[in-house]
């Protein structure tokens, strides 16, 4: 069903569509669906109900090798990399059109697979997926090199060329969107791709590969291997014929990816890892209610399963009480756990029961270490992996809930006295993905933009942006830059040609 029709559907219509959904469980290699070589399977579960959705083909190192070989052949014979730029552009534009036409099916796959509210898929994820593919397609004929000034009998050219086979490992919190943030710029630059989706939510990525071929993409150019991170993901990162690996996920696994690069062929590594983003709310904020609303959306949106979630709210002590009251009002009226197939639901379940257990352990740590529980801290009566939105107050930056990435609907208010302390607390973290700043003073805002150690800083807003905005972190949040023209360029490497003539 076309994306334009989806906002009009009600819960009963979504449930009916879900009941008729056909699930593809195989791998996609060299332009076709195939079973895993050793016949292994793993279950993917609907976290809203606890029911098994499907038993997926479990790719292993042998399947990764098969996919990489297909991608390497496709790159070497030039069926994609040597296409005229406008020809690649046309295929990616058709790819975007097909995603838009099949948006209903793709939206359901992510909602059923990881619990994301269907309203988020319709209003955020799918529109951004289509926009990303189209933006990257439009970048293709904008990639250029340069000619330098040299002696008269020399022509020096700097060319940009694709790496070859790019391995992509995408996360489960935005299964479709985060995969497209990787594959679209890699393909736009002329590379071939092997994608290993997160095993917790693999269903939509398989369909992406099918749509790419349906759009005219040559076989072998885009391959998808489902499997576990410790087997298929590791095999992809270690493969000697993979020229670049792009990973989004935990900092812990990101460090392993760096090791695998060194243990194999020193492949290029692009990492977008964890975060513990601060939202600094100063006493001179012009609209405290707006700041509190944005802060609540910044931690409870997508169930808090967001790498740049603004989970550390660093609030001037003079306004902390009023901020908490306003924050609570938004949270308790807007973020009520519910059925993700209901368009009115803004908070679904966490991705797995195991992950819910991890989040609840963090909540218990917050209680144990002395933070004051304002609301939440428990689970609703439901068979699914739900956690109620939770807020702690009077937290200290040394507490576990303020240091470690929880990846769930848990926020902490850290009171501070003035700007200098706010900056110190904000930067006192191993992460540096994003930050929010709320102030009415331009000088203060500019100082914060310069001094906060993060790859993205929002001023008087949070989690906004468009395709021109590089998204990525500092420190242990990684080194990649997603979205933006820079992302396409990052999937190319330079070649210097020194030509003596005459």
């Amino acid at each position: 069903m076309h994306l334009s029709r989806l906002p009009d559907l009600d819960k009963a219509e979504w449930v009916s569509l879900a009941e008729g959904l056909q699930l593809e469980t195989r791998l996609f290699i060299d332009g076709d669906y195939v079973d895993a070589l050793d016949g292994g399977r793993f279950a993917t579960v609907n976290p809203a109900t606890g029911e098994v959705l499907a038993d997926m083909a479990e790719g292993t190192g042998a399947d990764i090798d098969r996919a990489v070989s297909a991608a390497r052949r496709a790159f070497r014979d030039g069926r994609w990399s040597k296409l005229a730029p406008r020809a690649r552009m046309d295929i990616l534009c058709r790819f975007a059109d097909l995603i838009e036409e099949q948006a209903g099916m793709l939206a359901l796959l992510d909602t059923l697979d990881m619990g994301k509210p269907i309203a988020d898929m319709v209003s955020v994820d799918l529109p951004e997926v289509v926009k990303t593919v189209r933006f990257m397609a439009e970048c293709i004929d904008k990639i250029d090199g340069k000619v330098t000034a040299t002696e008269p009998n020399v022509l020096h050219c700097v060319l940009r060329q694709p790496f070859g086979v790019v391995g992509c490992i995408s996360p489960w919190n935005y299964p479709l969107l985060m995969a497209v943030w990787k594959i679209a710029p890699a393909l736009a630059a002329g590379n071939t791709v092997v994608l290993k989706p997160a095993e917790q939510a693999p269903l939509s990525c398989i369909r992406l590969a099918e749509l790419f071929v349906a759009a005219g993409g040559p076989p072998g150019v885009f391959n998808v291997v489902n499997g576990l991170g410790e087997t298929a993901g590791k095999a992809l990162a270690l493969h000697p014929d993979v020229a670049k690996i792009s990973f989004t996920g935990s900092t812990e696994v990101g460090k392993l990816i760096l090791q695998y690069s060194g243990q194999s062929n020193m492949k290029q590594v692009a990492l977008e890892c964890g975060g513990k983003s601060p939202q600094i709310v100063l006493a001179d904020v012009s609209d405290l209610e707006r700041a509190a609303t944005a802060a609540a959306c910044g931690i409870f949106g997508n169930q808090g399963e967001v790498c740049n979630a603004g989970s550390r709210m660093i609030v001037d002590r003079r306004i902390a009480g009023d901020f908490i009251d306003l924050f609570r009002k938004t949270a308790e009226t807007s973020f009520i756990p519910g059925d993700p197939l209901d368009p009115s639901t803004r908070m679904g379940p966490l991705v797995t029961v195991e992950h819910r257990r991890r989040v609840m352990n963090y909540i218990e740590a917050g209680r144990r270490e002395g933070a004051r529980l304002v609301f939440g801290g428990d689970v609703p009566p439901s068979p699914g992996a739900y956690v109620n939105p939770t807020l702690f107050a009077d937290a200290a930056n040394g507490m576990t809930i303020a240091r470690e990435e929880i990846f769930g609907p848990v926020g902490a208010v850290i009171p501070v006295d003035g700007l200098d302390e706010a900056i110190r607390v904000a930067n006192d973290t191993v992460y540096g993905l994003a930050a929010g700043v709320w102030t009415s003073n331009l000088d203060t805002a500019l100082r914060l933009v310069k001094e906060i150690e993060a790859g993205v800083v929002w001023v008087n807003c949070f989690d906004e942006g468009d395709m021109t905005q590089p998204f990525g972190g500092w420190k242990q949040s990684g080194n990649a830059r997603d979205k933006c023209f820079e992302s396409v360029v990052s999937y190319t490497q330079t070649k210097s040609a020194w030509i003596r003539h005459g």
Side-chain angles (χ1 to χ4, degrees):
M1 187 175 294
H2 195 278
L3 181 59
S4 62
R5 296 179 57 192
L6 302 186
D8 297 327
L9 300 183
D10 60 22
K11 178 181 176 180
E13 290 170 309
W14 280 115
V15 170
S16 177
L17 288 172
E19 290 171 349
L21 196 61
Q22 298 296 311
L23 304 181
E24 179 55 64
T25 65
R26 293 170 290 176
L27 319 178
F28 194 91
I29 298 176
D30 209 8
D32 204 359
Y33 287 112
V34 296
D35 289 315
L37 286 172
D38 68 0
R41 315 289 291 186
F42 68 94
T44 186
V45 175
N46 183 342
T49 64
E51 298 174 354
V52 173
L53 286 167
D55 287 319
M56 308 296 297
E58 183 179 337
T60 61
D63 300 291
I64 290 292
D65 190 58
R66 180 167 49 155
V68 171
S69 295
R72 190 166 184 259
R73 286 193 303 272
F75 183 77
R76 288 290 180 88
D77 67 23
R79 69 186 75 167
W80 181 251
S81 61
K82 294 181 181 178
L83 277 182
R86 301 292 297 190
R88 287 206 311 273
M89 184 184 298
D90 289 343
I91 291 172
L92 286 182
C93 286
R94 287 198 295 274
F95 183 34
D97 291 343
L98 289 178
I99 292 172
E100 195 169 33
E101 290 172 13
Q102 298 295 322
M105 175 265 292
L106 295 170
L108 277 171
L109 290 176
D110 276 5
T111 290
L112 294 174
D113 218 5
M114 62 80 58
K116 185 187 296 286
I118 195 70
D120 288 358
M121 290 302 304
V122 171
S123 63
V124 179
D125 291 48
L126 261 302
E128 289 299 315
V129 166
V130 173
K131 190 183 303 180
T132 299
V133 176
R134 287 183 177 148
F135 179 90
M136 299 306 173
E138 293 166 0
C139 291
I140 291 174
D141 63 356
K142 314 302 186 295
I143 302 172
D144 57 16
K146 61 183 177 180
V147 176
T148 65
T150 61
E151 60 184 277
N153 292 338
V154 168
L155 175 66
H156 177 220
C157 304
V158 180
L159 312 175
R160 284 204 166 270
Q161 294 182 302
F163 280 99
V165 179
V166 172
C168 299
I169 302 175
S170 57
W172 49 258
N173 59 326
Y174 289 87
L176 201 64
L177 181 57
M178 296 293 101
V180 166
W181 275 15
K182 297 181 180 302
I183 66 169
L187 292 171
N191 300 281
T192 56
V193 170
V194 177
L195 170 66
K196 206 296 284 185
E199 59 264 32
Q200 295 88 348
L203 289 171
S204 62
C205 289
I206 286 288
R207 293 293 192 179
L208 269 184
E210 177 187 356
L211 294 178
F212 175 76
V213 172
V221 172
F222 177 23
N223 310 273
V224 180
V225 178
N226 296 321
L228 306 183
E230 56 266 31
T231 52
K234 181 178 180 179
L236 185 60
L238 282 169
H239 203 289
D241 290 331
V242 173
K244 178 170 181 172
I245 195 84
S246 177
F247 169 80
T248 295
S250 71
T251 296
E252 178 186 8
V253 177
K255 292 178 179 180
L256 291 176
I257 300 293
L258 288 170
Q259 294 179 38
Y260 298 151
S261 171
Q263 292 167 8
S264 55
N265 59 340
M266 294 178 65
K267 56 177 63 67
Q268 292 277 324
V269 176
L271 301 174
E272 197 271 275
C273 297
K276 196 67 181 174
S277 299
Q279 293 210 58
I280 298 175
V281 185
L282 298 175
D284 64 359
V285 60
S286 60
D287 189 337
L288 186 59
E289 183 173 8
R290 181 163 162 257
T293 299
C297 295
I299 180 55
F300 297 142
N302 205 50
Q303 301 77 246
E305 296 169 324
V306 184
C307 53
N308 62 278
S311 56
R312 288 192 302 149
M313 287 157 280
I314 300 169
V315 185
D316 190 290
R317 196 179 306 275
R318 292 169 290 178
I319 60 169
D322 292 337
F323 174 87
I324 290 169
D325 290 342
L326 293 167
F327 182 99
R328 180 171 191 160
K329 177 182 176 182
T330 297
E332 293 185 338
T333 57
S334 299
F335 294 97
I336 301 170
D339 185 346
L341 287 176
D342 187 338
S344 67
T345 296
R346 293 187 66 186
M347 177 173 279
L350 300 184
V351 66
T352 63
V353 171
E354 291 77 15
H355 185 57
R356 178 179 66 180
R357 188 176 301 116
R358 178 178 182 271
V359 171
M360 293 304 296
N361 286 340
Y362 275 114
I363 291 173
E364 179 56 34
R367 289 190 175 105
R368 185 173 61 250
E369 294 176 13
R372 176 169 60 88
L373 182 65
V374 179
F375 60 81
D378 55 358
V379 300
S382 168
Y386 291 89
V387 171
N388 282 319
T390 299
L391 179 68
F392 284 98
D394 302 327
N397 205 48
M399 293 179 178
T400 302
I401 57 171
R403 304 299 294 178
E404 299 183 17
E405 185 178 39
I406 298 174
F407 226 64
V410 182
V413 174
I414 304 170
V416 294
D417 295 307
L419 178 59
D420 290 340
E421 186 181 4
I423 294 172
R424 179 183 59 77
V425 171
N427 289 336
D428 182 20
T429 173
V430 300
Y431 299 109
L433 184 52
V437 172
W438 296 87
T439 177
S440 60
N441 186 298
L442 179 60
D443 290 338
T444 298
L446 293 175
R447 179 185 170 190
L448 286 163
V449 165
K450 292 179 181 179
E451 294 191 20
I452 290 177
E453 297 165 355
V456 181
V457 179
W458 290 287
V459 178
N460 293 329
C461 60
F462 194 80
D463 203 19
E464 295 186 7
D466 60 22
M467 290 302 300
T468 67
Q469 177 198 47
F471 182 84
W474 289 17
K475 301 194 287 190
Q476 292 187 41
S477 289
N479 56 19
R481 292 297 179 267
D482 292 316
K483 306 195 302 182
C484 75
F485 181 71
E486 181 183 344
S487 176
V488 181
V489 174
S490 75
Y491 286 96
T492 66
Q493 54 191 336
T494 59
K495 177 184 288 182
S496 179
W498 187 272
I499 305 167
R500 184 166 293 280
H501 61 88

